[in-house]
Amino acid sequence: MSGPHVPVVWGGLLVAIAAVQLTFGMHGTALALLGGAGITAVLVGAAWGARARLTAPVTTTAASAATSPGAATAAAGVGAMALGSAIGAWLSITGGALLLIGVVQVVRQGRR
Amino acid sequence: MTELATGAHADASELSLLLTPTDHKAIARGIGRVATVFFLMSGVLALLMRAELAEPGMQVVSTSAYSRLFTMHGSGMIYLVVTPVALAVGVYLVPLQVGARRIAGPGAALAGAWLYGIGGAVMFSGFFTAEGPGRATWIGIDPLSSTTGTPGAGMDLWILGVAVATLGQLVLAACVLATALRLRTDGMTLLRMPPLTWTLVVTCLMAVFAFPVLIVTMLLLWLDRHGVSIFIGGDGAIAYQHLFWFYGHPVVYVMFFPFVGAVAEVVSTASGRPLRAYPLFVGSLLLFTALSMSVWAHHMFTTGAVTNRYFALTSTALVIPAGIEYIELIGALWSRTLRMSLAVWFAVAFLVQFLIGGLSGIWVASPAIDAHANNSYVVVAHFHYALFAGSMFGLFAGLYHWWPKVTGRLLGRRFGVVHLVLGVVGTNLTFMPMFLAGERGMTRRVGNYPGSGLSTLNLLSSIGSGVIALSMLALALNLWRSARAGRPADADPWGGLTLEWATTSPPPAGNFDGPVPAVRSAAPLATAAGSSA
């Protein structure tokens, strides 16, 4: 059994438990929430497994940059946008700009 | 790799390494520090509540302020303390345990940690608004959370703070899950992954599939408060509860499973061998978490809008995997070679106290009993036994076990014993009387109550909360003394079985100075010692 099997097995369990619901009568919301999560888990695991068969295994020796200011900037932008909803639009706009700057930094760091 | 990592660290400034590190260990330590601040804040709110409840009548705060206290106490502890700390345990230890040099998506993990901290700050910033912070309970229940029920910007900040902090935790969970499933070293098969890593895999599966629902629900609630009609009328309130509890019950297990894993590591290390029938343990974790996703509507039994028999069945079925795990853990304790340490004593306290939380969960899994217990102090006692007496004691077991690995220093035994004894006494003195108070009709979320038959029980709970505060003081002193002048710890002070004990304390950038030890069993260090002897 490999990594992708884990979400497939787990998602299968969710689908099976959701199916038991049918014997107690149909309840759309509950069935959709649990069954939807289960089917999504199975699909994610299956897609990951298919991709893993086509690509080389991931090595754990790849180095990463020691810091990522862009990631923190993007997160600060999201926080400023949230806080801006109470303080004023100017802070939300500033947050949006920070988010954009952060994302650009992260993308540029990834390309290096 | 070590050279590469060390070189990369040398290029970065001190400030940048402090604020924007991609080393998973630094990220986890940062989450731990922020969670400690939120724990203190939420703990003070709990002490204020207990001061108010020490006798009948309103003496300390107003009714409205009391609503804000219990809302922010519950929200702080759940969204900003226990859940992120559970994930931080994974951020720190999972890469080490699976022999990875780094966490998957280190930049994303850093962003997740920042989102969590910022979300918490946004949530608590409601205290600075004219109307005060959110007061619609930790579940933000609709229609109490509507603009009519809770007007003002504080509630908006609560909603957005929850969404942002949970988004951060979702990202952290995805990084931990991807690390365990994709970055394992050679020989680390799924069934050789240590118990803590397995508990974090299932925890993160729940987080990845349940947390997005909360984030969307919070955004819908925010829109609902700003003129977009979404949760309208009785059906809207029921829809809100379905969406919220689809997150709200799995998160209880997100706050619990990593500490089951910590206890499993503590007892298996103390007994000097891996858990028996390990595939059964792993299978029970998968079943337990799958069932955990399917029990949310037992919080809605009294609404009459859900299929009670189905949700009673799934909720009661949890005892099967839970029982298997208990037997596994007790089996590990049942060993002639068991070495008792403070971590093991905390693990024993976890097992006993969580049992009370778990067994009282079976009561409220029954719709007939829940009809009586719903909204009473029985429920308050039940979930505090699960989350404080259970999860927090599991966390303490893990803290005494891994603190030397994280800091390179041992914790003191004397302060540890004081922490344990006061912690056990305070916890049971606080929460056991709540069962009786609930049975006698005490309603939750009220600051005032009729005196007859309830005042002594409430006074006992309030005294107990003070004892818990003293136990936390003993822990704080122990941590402070250890950090300043604790005895140095070597790489493996307990005779550990798993890979994190094969590296220095604390581990270097890149996690392992030399090659990662070969993994040929579920206890790679025991195998290595056996083959070298």
Side-chain angles (χ1 to χ4, degrees):
Chain A
M1 206 163 115
S2 62
H5 288 114
V6 175
V8 171
V9 169
W10 191 74
L13 281 170
L14 292 192
V15 171
I17 296 167
V20 174
Q21 244 185 83
L22 294 172
T23 63
F24 289 85
M26 184 74 177
H27 190 286
T29 310
L31 196 63
L33 281 168
L34 188 57
I39 290 167
T40 309
V42 170
L43 291 177
V44 166
W48 172 24
R51 189 162 171 260
R53 278 193 293 276
L54 297 173
T55 54
V58 180
T59 59
T60 60
T61 52
S64 58
T67 60
S68 180
T73 308
V78 174
M81 286 168 70
L83 211 50
S85 70
I87 292 178
W90 63 271
L91 188 56
S92 292
I93 293 167
T94 308
L98 278 174
L99 175 62
L100 194 64
I101 292 167
V103 170
V104 169
Q105 278 183 316
V106 169
V107 170
R108 286 179 64 182
Q109 191 175 30
R111 283 187 184 158
R112 260 186 247 139
Chain B
M1 163 63 201
T2 308
E3 284 168 19
L4 278 171
T6 311
H9 276 72
D11 292 342
S13 71
E14 285 282 323
L15 186 66
S16 187
L17 280 173
L18 182 70
L19 296 177
T20 64
T22 54
D23 178 15
H24 65 97
K25 301 181 288 296
I27 294 171
R29 286 197 305 268
I31 296 170
R33 286 189 200 105
V34 174
T36 303
V37 173
F38 286 128
F39 177 74
L40 290 174
M41 291 162 66
S42 307
V44 166
L45 300 183
L47 289 176
L48 281 171
M49 285 160 62
R50 285 311 329 168
E52 177 56 64
L53 291 168
E55 55 183 87
M58 299 300 288
Q59 295 86 23
V60 180
V61 293
S62 66
T63 305
S64 171
Y66 187 83
S67 300
R68 298 185 198 286
L69 286 182
F70 69 67
T71 296
M72 294 309 289
H73 162 71
S75 308
M77 288 297 188
I78 289 172
Y79 299 115
L80 307 178
V81 180
V82 191
T83 307
V85 166
L87 294 170
V89 169
V91 170
Y92 194 99
L93 287 167
V94 164
L96 287 162
Q97 288 205 324
V98 301
R101 301 282 186 183
R102 60 176 174 84
I103 194 166
L110 173 68
W114 269 97
L115 285 169
Y116 147 64
I118 290 169
V122 170
M123 190 198 293
F124 268 86
S125 67
F127 276 105
F128 302 108
T129 60
E131 301 86 355
R135 59 164 194 182
T137 80
W138 81 272
I139 70 173
I141 195 161
D142 181 80
L144 186 58
S145 54
S146 68
T147 44
T148 313
T150 310
M155 190 68 217
D156 286 325
L157 290 169
W158 183 91
I159 292 166
L160 293 173
V162 169
V164 173
T166 305
L167 176 62
Q169 291 158 27
L170 169 65
V171 173
L172 288 168
C175 293
V176 173
L177 184 63
T179 305
L181 297 184
R182 296 192 70 207
L183 298 185
R184 299 188 308 279
T185 190
D186 291 341
M188 181 65 75
T189 60
L190 287 176
L191 281 177
R192 289 177 185 167
M193 289 199 304
L196 177 78
T197 295
W198 257 114
T199 55
L200 275 148
V201 164
V202 293
T203 294
C204 294
L205 276 171
M206 286 191 292
V208 164
F209 287 94
F211 285 19
V213 177
L214 178 74
I215 296 165
V216 171
T217 306
M218 287 298 115
L219 295 178
L220 292 176
L221 185 58
W222 187 84
L223 288 172
D224 197 61
R225 286 173 59 87
H226 289 82
V228 184
S229 298
I230 295 169
F231 300 114
I232 313 162
D235 287 348
I238 293 297
Y240 179 85
Q241 288 198 42
H242 268 300
L243 292 173
F244 181 85
W245 285 117
F246 190 73
Y247 155 88
H249 202 83
V251 79
V252 172
Y253 296 95
V254 169
M255 291 186 280
F256 166 63
F257 275 108
F259 307 119
V260 172
V263 166
E265 297 276 354
V266 166
V267 297
S268 65
T269 302
S271 66
R273 60 161 185 254
L275 296 179
R276 295 163 179 151
Y278 194 48
L280 190 63
F281 181 77
V282 171
S284 74
L285 286 176
L286 287 165
L287 179 61
F288 200 150
T289 47
L291 280 169
S292 303
M293 294 284 288
S294 68
V295 301
W296 78 90
H298 69 219
H299 295 271
M300 302 165 64
F301 279 158
T302 53
T303 64
V306 297
T307 318
N308 283 5
R309 285 191 309 144
Y310 170 75
F311 287 102
L313 174 69
T314 53
S315 304
T316 309
L318 286 171
V319 299
I320 298 166
I324 292 170
E325 282 155 32
Y326 253 81
I327 289 168
E328 287 271 9
L329 296 176
I330 292 167
L333 281 171
W334 199 283
S335 163
R336 279 186 213 158
T337 55
L338 188 75
R339 291 158 293 168
M340 291 305 285
S341 63
L342 267 173
V344 178
W345 281 113
F346 273 104
V348 171
F350 164 89
L351 285 168
V352 174
Q353 293 177 159
F354 182 77
L355 193 61
I356 299 171
L359 292 178
S360 54
I362 301 174
W363 299 347
V364 285
S366 157
I369 299 175
D370 185 68
H372 296 280
N374 183 55
N375 224 22
S376 79
Y377 257 67
V378 169
V379 178
V380 180
H382 156 63
F383 69 71
H384 279 93
Y385 261 100
L387 292 182
F388 191 87
S391 293
M392 287 301 278
F393 276 74
L395 170 64
F396 296 144
L399 185 68
Y400 282 85
H401 189 62
W402 281 297
W403 177 266
K405 176 54 60 186
V406 175
T407 65
R409 295 192 180 272
L410 294 164
L411 282 166
R413 186 168 175 80
R414 209 172 298 169
F415 273 123
V417 171
V418 175
H419 172 209
L420 173 70
V421 172
L422 289 181
V424 169
V425 170
T427 298
N428 290 287
L429 190 57
T430 305
F431 301 119
M432 190 59 82
M434 290 184 183
F435 279 120
L436 299 173
E439 192 270 333
R440 291 180 189 180
M442 176 136 177
T443 308
R444 67 192 292 201
R445 297 172 179 144
V446 292
N448 194 1
Y449 54 90
S452 57
L454 294 174
S455 52
T456 307
L457 293 170
N458 272 291
L459 182 61
L460 285 173
S461 285
S462 295
I463 293 168
S465 67
V467 178
I468 291 176
L470 288 176
S471 80
M472 292 299 124
L473 184 64
L475 171 64
L477 286 171
N478 204 357
L479 299 179
W480 179 72
R481 268 188 59 157
S482 169
R484 278 176 62 91
R487 271 194 302 136
D490 60 22
D492 185 6
W494 316 123
L497 307 171
T498 45
L499 288 181
E500 75 271 28
W501 304 107
T503 187
T504 55
S505 301
N511 289 345
F512 298 90
D513 275 330
V516 179
V519 179
R520 297 194 185 90
S521 75
L525 299 198
T527 317
S531 59
S532 65

